[in-house]
């Protein structure tokens, strides 16, 4: 962590967001929305599971009814890889040109659409733009096409963020591409599209919402950074009053409706509140940033034991060398221990977050245990595995997981305390078995 010199303390924070259209039936207006963006020929990006619900075909018809040609790519990989991004980019280059892109799906489809948008408007190859040190972290020179993101899961917030996440198979590492130009132009969030989201996906992606809100709420405050120059500003600027507001509200919405949405997927009121929570948390973390649980999630997902495949997720047959721990699940597995570790940096924030998530709950004698207990209780209730041991990791895997986490310095720099290798090893050790 950079040394803090009060005379050079940061005084400025930033806030960026796409246009937003939220509510039941919002998808029926996509023809109008795309026309307003000047689109005549659109690429619709989705994945096989979402395509099977019929939603992308319905949206393509809505576009055609507005005299917009729609070409559908329905092979986004769930938890994308460099190879799957390249397949989508090749498809778009062969079928293009397009003048807008519509992503219909969860984070996997929206992230695939972001990569397609970047590589069909700018020269070079994927690795030129992937975050350093894995890739060359080049900034795009050209403007991207308008991208309209239509989420069908309630979790990632990718419809409002400036990143896309991928697995670089040859290097056994999960990383991302991060640039302000990747942010979608418009997010169209229609809770009706989430009614078919399977319970297992609702649970894992819901833990992503909770961790976005909790990590950005407990992130290092923007005032603790050195003052930046205008050209040094980054999308993730630390916790700040605007991101805090989104995060707090997201936690309250999740307290009210998350368990119901997992238990009864047809409950539109609960689905709507969880969709609102995902949107709010995305707007919060998309500006403040996330820290230790997300940093740990990258190696947990990238090194997952081969035989772990949770219910409601596809089994890939494309030669992947690891199992599938979905992103939200991977993030949550070390979150209780991570918040025990970060407690001392901002005790009042950790206690307040626990109160928002479990109104009226009795505080344990040790206040540092309050948030870990509340979070673990929710994880247990929605069927998340009881720790990294339950997805197949053992004590012997911790060194290699620590190596993977320490590579995520961009995220660890947002933690409210300095994080050493020993700290990460202790957090992972406590997460072998949460309950
Ligand atoms: N860009 C970002 O800001 C960001 C943030 C967090 C996570 N991510 C990435 O997003 C990905 C995870 O995305 P996700 O959790 O949204 O899930 P997902 O896109 O991976 O989808 C999970 C599964 O649910 C199915 N599905 C999705 N919506 C459905 C619906 N309405 N009905 C039926 N089936 C449906 C999909 O077909 C898929 O099988 C990961 O790759 C993760 O790294 C990106």
């Amino acid at each position: 962590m950079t040394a803090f010199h009060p005379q050079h303390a940061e005084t400025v924070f930033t806030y960026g967001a796409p246009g937003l259209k939220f509510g039941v039936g919002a998808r029926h207006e996509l023809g109008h929305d795309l026309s307003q963006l000047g689109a005549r020929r659109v690429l619709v990006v989705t994945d096989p599971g979402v395509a099977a619900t019929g939603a992308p075909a319905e949206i393509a018809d809505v576009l055609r009814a507005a005299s917009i040609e729609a070409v559908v790519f329905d092979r986004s990989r769930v938890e994308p890889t460099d190879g799957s991004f390249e397949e989508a980019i090749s498809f778009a280059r062969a079928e293009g040109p397009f003048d807008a892109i519509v992503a219909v799906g969860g984070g996997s489809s929206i992230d695939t659409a972001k990569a397609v948008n970047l590589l069909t408007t700018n020269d070079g190859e994927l690795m030129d733009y992937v975050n350093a040190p894995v890739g060359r972290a080049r900034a795009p020179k050209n403007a991207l096409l308008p991208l309209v993101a239509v989420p069908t899961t309630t979790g990632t917030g990718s419809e409002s963020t400036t990143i896309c996440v991928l697995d670089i198979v040859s290097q056994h590492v999960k990383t991302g591409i991060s640039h302000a130009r990747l942010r979608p132009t418009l997010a169209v969030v229609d809770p009706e599209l989430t009614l078919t989201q399977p319970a297992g996906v609702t649970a894992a992606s819901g833990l992503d919402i909770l961790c976005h809100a909790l990590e950005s709420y407990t992130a290092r405050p923007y005032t603790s950074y050195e003052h930046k120059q205008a050209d040094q500003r980054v999308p993730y600027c630390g916790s700040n009053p605007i991101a805090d507001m989104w995060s707090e509200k997201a936690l309250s919405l999740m307290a009210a409706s998350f368990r119901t949405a997992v238990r009864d997927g047809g409950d539109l009121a609960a689905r709507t509140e969880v969709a609102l929570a995902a949107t709010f948390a995305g707007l919060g973390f998309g500006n403040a940033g996330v820290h230790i649980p997300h940093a740990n999630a990258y190696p947990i997902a990238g090194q997952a034991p081969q035989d772990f495949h949770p219910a409601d997720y596809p089994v890939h047959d494309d030669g992947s060398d690891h199992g599938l721990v979905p992103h939200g699940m991977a993030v949550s597995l070390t979150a209780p221990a991570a918040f025990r570790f970060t407690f001392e940096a901002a005790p009042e924030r950790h206690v307040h977050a626990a109160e928002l998530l479990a109104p009226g709950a009795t505080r344990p004698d040790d206040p540092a245990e309050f948030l870990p207990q509340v979070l673990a209780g929710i994880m247990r209730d929605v069927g998340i595995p009881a720790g990294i041991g339950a997805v197949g990791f053992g004590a012997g895997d911790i060194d290699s997981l620590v190596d993977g986490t320490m590579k995520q310095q961009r995220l660890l720099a947002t933690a409210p305390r300095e994080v050493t290798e020993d700290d990460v090893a202790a957090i992972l050790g406590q997460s072998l078995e949460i309950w």
Side-chain angles (χ1 to χ4, degrees):
M1 197 178 283
T2 323
F4 178 61
H5 301 295
Q7 68 273 31
H8 298 130
E10 186 55 88
T11 53
V12 174
F13 67 89
T14 54
Y15 177 74
L20 172 67
K21 190 173 266 199
F22 183 98
V24 170
R27 69 188 184 284
H28 301 307
E29 300 181 11
L30 279 161
H32 172 81
D33 298 333
L34 269 297
S35 295
Q36 292 298 302
L37 292 169
R40 308 262 37 102
R41 190 160 193 274
V42 167
L43 176 66
V44 176
V45 177
T46 189
D47 73 65
V50 174
T53 69
E58 183 200 18
I59 287 170
D61 285 344
V62 166
L63 298 178
R64 288 176 194 126
S67 305
I68 297 169
E69 190 183 342
V71 175
V72 178
F73 174 78
D74 64 4
R75 297 196 301 278
S76 299
R77 186 182 193 276
V78 175
E79 309 272 330
T81 61
D82 45 351
S84 77
F85 272 2
E86 270 156 7
E87 185 195 344
I89 293 161
S90 302
F91 177 92
R93 284 182 177 151
E95 298 290 328
F98 299 100
D99 45 25
I101 301 180
V102 177
V104 184
S108 296
S109 295
I110 299 174
D111 284 4
T112 301
K114 288 178 179 175
V116 165
N117 198 2
L118 175 65
L119 270 300
T120 51
T121 50
N122 283 272
D123 62 11
E125 54 190 63
L126 193 58
M127 290 307 281
D128 290 334
Y129 298 97
V130 167
N131 292 338
V134 178
R136 291 177 279 281
R138 205 170 111 184
K141 285 203 185 83
N142 304 331
L144 276 60
L145 295 175
L147 168 61
V148 177
V150 187
T152 61
T153 60
T154 37
T156 69
S158 179
E159 68 278 4
S160 57
T161 68
T162 56
I163 55 169
C164 63
V165 181
L166 74 164
D167 202 341
I168 310 283
V169 176
S170 59
Q171 299 190 34
H172 309 283
V173 63
K174 244 191 151 187
T175 180
I177 303 175
S178 174
H179 192 274
R181 286 192 171 158
L182 292 188
R183 197 192 307 276
T185 318
L186 175 68
V188 175
V189 185
D190 185 337
E192 241 169 21
L193 290 175
T194 71
L195 289 171
T196 50
Q197 189 185 196
V201 177
T202 308
S205 60
L207 261 306
D208 203 16
I209 303 177
L210 287 176
C211 289
H212 288 156
L214 292 169
E215 289 173 58
S216 55
Y217 194 57
T218 56
R220 184 178 162 182
Y222 78 98
T223 47
S224 71
Y225 289 85
E226 292 275 314
H227 192 79
K228 293 184 190 63
Q229 301 302 312
D231 62 353
Q232 296 171 326
R233 299 221 169 270
V234 288
Y236 290 166
C237 57
S239 62
N240 62 73
I242 291 186
D244 287 352
M245 199 178 66
W246 293 118
S247 302
E248 287 179 352
K249 188 67 187 158
L251 293 174
S252 297
L253 288 164
M254 290 298 278
S257 295
F258 181 34
R259 290 177 177 86
T260 310
V262 175
R263 202 175 46 239
D264 178 6
D267 184 326
L268 185 58
R271 289 292 200 183
T272 300
E273 290 216 332
V274 175
L276 208 48
T279 307
F280 285 9
L283 293 170
F285 97 87
N287 290 283
V290 284
H291 54 86
I292 302 170
H294 269 76
N296 288 336
Y298 283 81
I300 290 171
Q303 300 173 27
Q306 190 65 273
D307 51 1
F308 185 76
H309 288 283
D312 296 334
Y313 282 84
V315 177
H316 294 302
D317 56 3
D318 56 3
S320 170
D321 66 346
H322 57 76
L324 180 82
V325 181
H327 174 78
M329 183 186 288
V331 170
S332 70
L333 294 175
T334 64
F339 294 124
R340 184 177 297 124
F341 170 78
T342 54
F343 177 81
E344 68 172 51
E348 66 300 334
R349 281 186 176 248
H350 289 68
V351 168
H352 187 50
E355 286 170 346
L356 291 172
L357 269 183
T362 313
R363 284 190 204 189
D365 293 338
D366 178 359
E369 290 301 322
F370 194 14
L371 184 54
Q373 277 182 18
V374 166
L375 188 54
I378 296 173
M379 290 165 65
R380 197 172 36 220
D381 287 354
V382 299
I384 295 292
I388 57 173
V391 303
F393 289 105
D397 298 314
I398 287 184
D399 284 353
S400 145
L401 291 171
V402 170
D403 284 350
T405 298
M406 296 310 289
K407 287 189 185 130
Q408 308 300 327
Q409 285 302 322
R410 195 179 60 91
L411 300 179
L412 293 178
T414 314
R417 285 179 65 184
E418 189 174 353
V419 194
T420 65
E421 288 189 15
D422 287 348
D423 296 328
V424 175
I427 290 168
L428 289 162
Q430 288 171 30
S431 305
L432 282 167
E433 197 178 326
I434 304 175
W435 62 81

